[in-house]
């Protein structure tokens, strides 16, 4: 099968921040291992040893860029154009409910799909071979936050408060300490010496930080579609302490984390944490890997090529 994957966000492979880019990288890799021909249409500056690369041009019709021998197109955003090829669209965010979505839209969790009256979903998976091996024997001395700190919905303020009140330091990956929105939203904690901002980090640094962390603080304020930070943290042996928003109850079991919309309950759980790094690590490896994700997408590809619509 000739499969073309389209993403307009950032170039691949992702070096530092990169959500969708990491997901499609693992998808393309596993598809190529299974013998499929993969083409990425992605922003300029991308490179890949296992797939063809075509530069994405926002001012050129996507139908003119897609190779003519493509069997199916996997879009990672909703195009304004009507595609001339069989295709599906993975929805990574939360569009307004009044916004019409393509018939063959796939969501990234069951909760995500249910909220848009669909049953079609595929959990994100990552290519764990691209990540450094996590040392699960190290002493764990602090908590961490992994998200775009400038996004209010990710709730760095809430994470900071939980960390301090639970008696822990917090390492923030994904934000600049002196960004004005962080200072305005988080004035009591921005200058707190127990809150350390590490900026945007690569996989090596990310795992080095997480493998010495007691857990990920993820008190999100929106219906999280999936949450790659959760599975990356689990990979490094970290339980997840978060709210019950969106996909979190679906992704985080009682063996690998604690969820509550009450910050006091999260604080108490952190203080009495009983989670084991190896169980968190194995849970991520088994359930959220790129191969498992790819095999489910292949079923949807075939269904579309057989003339059926996803619902």
């Amino acid at each position: 099968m000739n499969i073309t994957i389209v993403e307009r966000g950032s170039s691949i492979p992702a070096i530092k921040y990169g959500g969708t880019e990491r997901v499609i990288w693992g998808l393309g890799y596993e598809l190529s291992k299974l013998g499929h021909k993969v083409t990425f249409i992605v922003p300029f500056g991308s490179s890949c040893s296992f797939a063809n690369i075509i530069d994405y041009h926002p001012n050129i019709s996507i139908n003119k860029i897609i190779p003519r021998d493509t069997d199916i197109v996997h879009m990672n955003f909703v195009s304004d154009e009507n595609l001339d090829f069989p295709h599906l669209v993975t929805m990574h965010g939360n569009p307004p409910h009044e916004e019409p979505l393509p018939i063959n839209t796939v969501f990234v969790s069951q909760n995500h799909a249910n909220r848009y009256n669909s049953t079609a979903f595929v959990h994100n998976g990552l290519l764990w071979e691209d990540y450094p091996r996590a040392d699960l024997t190290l002493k764990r001395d602090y908590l961490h936050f992994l998200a775009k700190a400038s996004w209010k919905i990710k709730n760095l303020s809430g994470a900071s408060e939980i960390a301090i009140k639970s008696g822990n330091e917090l390492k923030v990956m994904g934000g600049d300490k002196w960004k004005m929105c962080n200072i305005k939203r988080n004035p009591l904690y921005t200058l707190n010496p127990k809150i350390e901002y590490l900026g945007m980090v690569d996989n090596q640094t990310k795992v080095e930080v997480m493998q010495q962390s007691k857990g990920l603080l993820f008190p999100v304020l929106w219906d999280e579609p999936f949450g790659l930070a959760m599975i990356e943290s689990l990979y490094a042996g970290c339980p997840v302490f978060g709210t019950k928003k969106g996909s979190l109850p679906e992704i985080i079991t009682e063996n690998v984390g604690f969820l509550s919309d009450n910050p006091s309950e999260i604080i108490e759980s952190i203080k009495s944490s009983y989670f084991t790094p190896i169980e968190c690590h194995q849970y991520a490896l088994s359930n959220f890997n790129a191969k498992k994700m790819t095999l489910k997408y292949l079923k949807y590809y075939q269904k579309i090529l057989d003339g059926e619509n996803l619902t």
Side-chain angles (χ1 to χ4, degrees):
M1 193 184 301
N2 291 352
I3 302 162
T4 297
I5 302 171
V6 186
E7 165 59 7
R8 63 186 176 187
S10 299
S11 60
I12 58 171
I15 304 302
K16 292 192 176 181
Y17 179 82
T20 303
E21 293 76 20
R22 294 189 191 281
V23 172
I24 66 170
W25 181 267
L27 174 63
Y29 177 80
E30 293 293 347
L31 287 170
S32 68
K33 276 182 65 177
L34 292 169
H36 300 284
K37 179 183 176 183
V38 179
T39 298
F40 284 117
I41 299 179
V42 282
F44 176 78
S46 298
S47 61
C48 184
S49 62
F50 54 80
N52 298 324
I53 293 285
I54 298 175
D55 291 344
Y56 173 76
H57 294 280
N59 298 323
I60 300 177
S61 168
I62 192 68
N63 286 310
K64 293 181 179 179
I65 302 175
I66 296 169
R68 304 317 296 176
D69 63 351
T70 294
D71 294 308
I72 191 161
V73 178
H74 187 149
M75 300 291 292
N76 286 276
F77 60 91
V78 177
S79 175
D80 293 333
E81 296 183 64
N82 292 319
L83 268 65
D84 297 337
F85 301 82
H87 63 281
L88 64 72
V89 178
T90 294
M91 179 53 60
H92 295 278
N94 286 327
H97 281 271
E98 64 273 13
E99 181 178 304
L101 296 176
I103 186 67
N104 290 327
T105 296
V106 176
F107 299 86
V108 292
S109 67
Q110 186 172 15
N111 172 275
H112 194 204
N114 289 347
R115 287 188 285 108
Y116 290 90
N117 300 312
S118 173
T119 61
F121 74 94
V122 179
H123 284 152
N124 286 327
L126 293 171
L127 189 62
W128 296 123
E129 297 95 309
D130 281 353
Y131 284 69
R133 185 181 296 273
D135 187 342
L136 304 177
T137 67
L138 296 176
K139 187 173 182 293
R140 295 175 180 263
D141 296 319
Y142 47 76
L143 297 165
H144 73 276
F145 176 91
L146 178 60
K148 275 192 175 179
S150 60
W151 288 7
K152 187 176 181 180
I153 54 175
K154 297 296 186 178
N155 196 16
L156 175 58
S157 295
S160 300
E161 182 176 3
I162 289 168
I164 298 303
K165 288 186 177 180
S166 67
N168 288 282
E169 296 180 4
L170 181 66
K171 307 277 188 184
V172 178
M173 292 180 283
D176 179 0
K177 180 175 185 175
W178 302 114
K179 196 159 189 174
M180 187 55 66
C181 62
N182 291 333
I183 296 172
K184 285 182 176 179
R185 246 182 247 140
N186 209 22
L188 293 176
Y189 298 110
T190 300
L191 299 177
N192 191 307
K194 290 190 175 183
I195 311 292
E196 181 181 1
Y197 287 74
L198 302 177
M200 298 295 182
V201 297
D202 57 24
N203 272 359
Q204 181 70 41
T205 304
K206 191 187 301 179
V207 173
E208 287 175 358
V209 172
M210 294 191 299
Q211 68 188 4
Q212 297 182 72
S213 169
K214 297 176 184 178
L216 168 70
L217 290 184
F218 207 61
V220 292
L221 300 175
W222 76 327
D223 286 321
E224 187 74 43
F226 181 82
L228 288 176
M230 294 192 293
I231 64 171
E232 289 183 316
S233 298
L234 290 166
Y235 169 82
C238 302
V240 175
F241 300 97
T243 52
K244 294 182 177 181
K245 306 292 188 185
S247 69
L248 272 71
E250 179 180 338
I251 306 300
I252 303 304
T253 69
E254 62 182 9
N255 293 324
V256 297
F258 178 82
L259 305 177
S260 174
D261 292 330
N262 184 334
S264 297
E265 292 181 355
I266 296 176
I267 290 167
E268 289 306 310
S269 177
I270 292 169
K271 289 180 177 179
S272 60
S273 180
Y274 56 88
F275 307 102
T276 60
I278 187 64
E279 187 165 11
C280 293
H281 177 73
Q282 290 296 338
Y283 177 73
L285 290 183
S286 300
N287 293 283
F288 304 107
N289 60 75
K291 184 174 183 180
K292 185 173 183 177
M293 170 184 67
T294 299
L295 293 175
K296 190 167 183 182
Y297 271 122
L298 278 168
K299 291 180 180 179
Y300 282 138
Y301 295 163
Q302 193 57 57
K303 189 172 183 178
I304 292 168
L305 290 174
D306 289 342
E308 299 179 54
N309 290 327
L310 308 183
T311 56

